[in-house]
């Protein structure tokens, strides 16, 4: 029983990072109804910028965190300008394919700048784990969980308690009508992209500071984990993004404990497949065509 509870705690803590990645995915999908496959590589660009400052200049953790978030946001803006802004409203497939091409571009650029396979990353917290009876809680995992809950609340408040959020929900409902009432649709979408990428940068920094290393595979890992968590939790649902991440983390933790690391990802994919068959919109979603973001508050 102790092992079960400890694995569940570890899964929730790790799943909070997945929830953060899914949060950025959800914000982009909720506004544009398009998948950005360059989301993870954009985060990797920020991570490699922070790593470059750490390896070459010995920059402090605060500067590395700022560089990681800023680099991810700038990379997200680059992707939006190149892959999404020029595309017509109905060109979702073209945008997705072009974002995959940019994925390769960003990944290769990062590898050229830092060619080694693994680089060190400064730790988020160095203290001993907190002991609650027989259970252990890592400080860096607690920080990730707090960040996931805080950012999801912040995004929810932004969407439903600000003029910018009102503009985004108007764009979700009808972009043409939003433009006719004076909303600058292109600027609002660009800002949403930048915010989503910055959230991804925060997630990337927290994950890498916990692992204390970065590799070129991080972009693909972040894309897969964020996308799976979003699809499990609910397409376009902010609470669903966090819930999906937590569910994925708990499933992976128990799968690794019982069946080993080789079966962990396989079981996670089986859970995703079952979710898509039984509830295509995700746990808190309705259908792929109508998300929670579509409905404002009653």
């Amino acid at each position: 029983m102790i092992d079960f509870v400890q694995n569940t705690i570890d899964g929730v803590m790790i799943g909070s990072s997945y929830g953060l990645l899914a949060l950025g995915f959800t914000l982009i999908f909720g506004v544009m109804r398009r998948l950005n496959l360059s989301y993870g590589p954009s985060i990797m660009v920020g991570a490699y910028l922070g790593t470059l400052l750490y390896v070459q200049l010995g920059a402090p953790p605060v500067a590395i965190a700022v560089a990681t978030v800023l680099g991810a946001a700038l990379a997200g803006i680059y992707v939006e300008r190149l892959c999404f802004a020029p595309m017509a409203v109905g060109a979702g497939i073209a945008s997705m394919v072009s974002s995959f091409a940019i994925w390769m571009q960003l990944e290769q650029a990062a590898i050229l700048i830092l060619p080694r396979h693994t680089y060190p990353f400064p730790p988020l917290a160095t203290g001993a784990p907190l002991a609650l009876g027989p259970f252990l809680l890592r400080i860096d995992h607690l920080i990730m969980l707090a960040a996931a809950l805080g950012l999801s609340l912040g995004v929810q408040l932004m969407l439903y308690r600000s003029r910018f959020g009102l503009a985004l929900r108007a764009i979700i409902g009808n972009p043409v009508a939003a433009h006719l009432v004076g909303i600058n649709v292109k600027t609002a979408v660009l800002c949403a992209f930048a915010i989503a990428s910055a959230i991804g940068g925060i997630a990337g920094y927290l994950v890498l500071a916990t692992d204390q290393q970065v590799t070129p595979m991080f972009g693909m890992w972040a894309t897969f984990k964020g996308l799976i968590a979003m699809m499990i939790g609910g397409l376009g649902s902010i609470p669903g993004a966090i819930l999906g991440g937590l569910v994925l983390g708990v499933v992976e933790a128990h799968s690794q404990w019982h069946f080993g690391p080789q079966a962990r990802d396989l079981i996670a994919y089986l859970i995703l497949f079952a979710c898509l068959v039984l509830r295509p919109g995700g746990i808190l979603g309705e259908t792929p065509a109508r998300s929670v973001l579509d409905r404002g508050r009653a």
Side-chain angles (χ1 to χ4, degrees):
M1 186 62 182
I2 292 177
D3 291 335
F4 177 84
V5 175
Q6 183 66 63
N7 286 331
T8 302
I9 292 173
D10 292 340
V12 168
M13 297 302 172
I14 295 172
S16 61
S17 64
Y18 300 160
L20 278 172
L21 294 169
L23 188 61
F25 254 123
T26 298
L27 187 57
I28 294 174
F29 180 84
V31 173
M32 300 189 67
R33 296 295 186 272
R34 299 180 184 180
L35 287 178
N36 175 22
L37 296 181
S38 288
Y39 179 65
S42 298
I43 300 173
M44 190 186 72
V45 169
Y48 265 57
L49 178 59
T51 302
L52 185 65
L53 294 179
Y54 178 63
V55 173
Q56 299 293 337
L57 304 177
V62 174
I64 295 170
V66 172
T68 301
V69 175
L70 183 60
L74 292 175
I77 291 173
Y78 171 74
V79 172
E80 195 277 337
R81 291 289 88 185
L82 203 62
C83 301
F84 292 86
M87 302 295 179
V89 175
I93 300 298
S95 297
M96 184 174 65
V97 172
S98 61
S99 70
F100 178 77
I102 297 300
W103 172 348
M104 299 295 103
Q105 180 191 104
L106 295 177
E107 192 172 273
Q108 289 302 313
I111 293 174
L112 287 175
I113 294 174
L114 294 173
R116 282 168 44 193
H117 182 72
T118 304
Y119 283 89
F121 203 86
L124 180 62
T126 56
L130 300 177
L132 297 177
F135 308 115
L136 297 177
L137 296 174
R138 288 179 54 174
I139 297 175
D140 46 11
H141 284 173
L142 288 173
I143 294 174
M144 277 200 298
L145 179 61
L149 297 177
L151 283 173
S152 63
L153 178 61
V155 171
Q156 192 80 356
L157 291 175
M158 178 193 73
L159 287 172
Y160 296 105
R161 291 290 186 269
S162 70
R163 292 181 62 85
F164 176 66
L166 179 63
L168 286 182
R169 288 188 287 123
I171 294 170
I172 292 169
N174 192 321
V176 177
H179 173 72
L180 292 176
V181 298
I183 296 174
N184 191 325
V185 175
K186 292 184 178 180
T187 300
V189 170
L190 178 62
C191 290
F193 244 84
I195 293 171
S197 299
I199 292 173
I202 294 173
Y205 173 77
L206 293 175
V207 171
L208 294 172
T210 300
D211 294 340
Q212 299 183 35
Q213 64 178 7
V214 59
T215 72
M217 301 300 293
F218 179 72
M220 181 175 66
W221 178 89
T223 297
F224 285 168
K225 296 299 183 182
L227 185 58
I228 292 172
M230 181 188 72
M231 296 176 72
I232 292 175
L235 298 175
S237 170
I238 299 301
I242 302 301
L243 178 60
L246 298 181
V247 169
L248 179 60
V250 171
V251 168
E252 287 190 350
H254 284 288
S255 300
Q256 181 166 327
W257 175 261
H258 291 289
F259 305 106
Q262 294 81 6
R264 180 188 59 192
D265 290 336
L266 174 61
I267 293 175
Y269 292 138
L270 290 176
I271 295 295
L272 172 63
F273 177 76
C275 184
L276 291 175
V277 171
L278 299 175
R279 192 169 178 82
I283 297 174
L284 296 183
E286 294 185 359
T287 66
R290 183 171 183 247
S291 71
V292 172
L293 289 181
D294 285 333
R295 302 173 294 162
R297 286 192 173 176

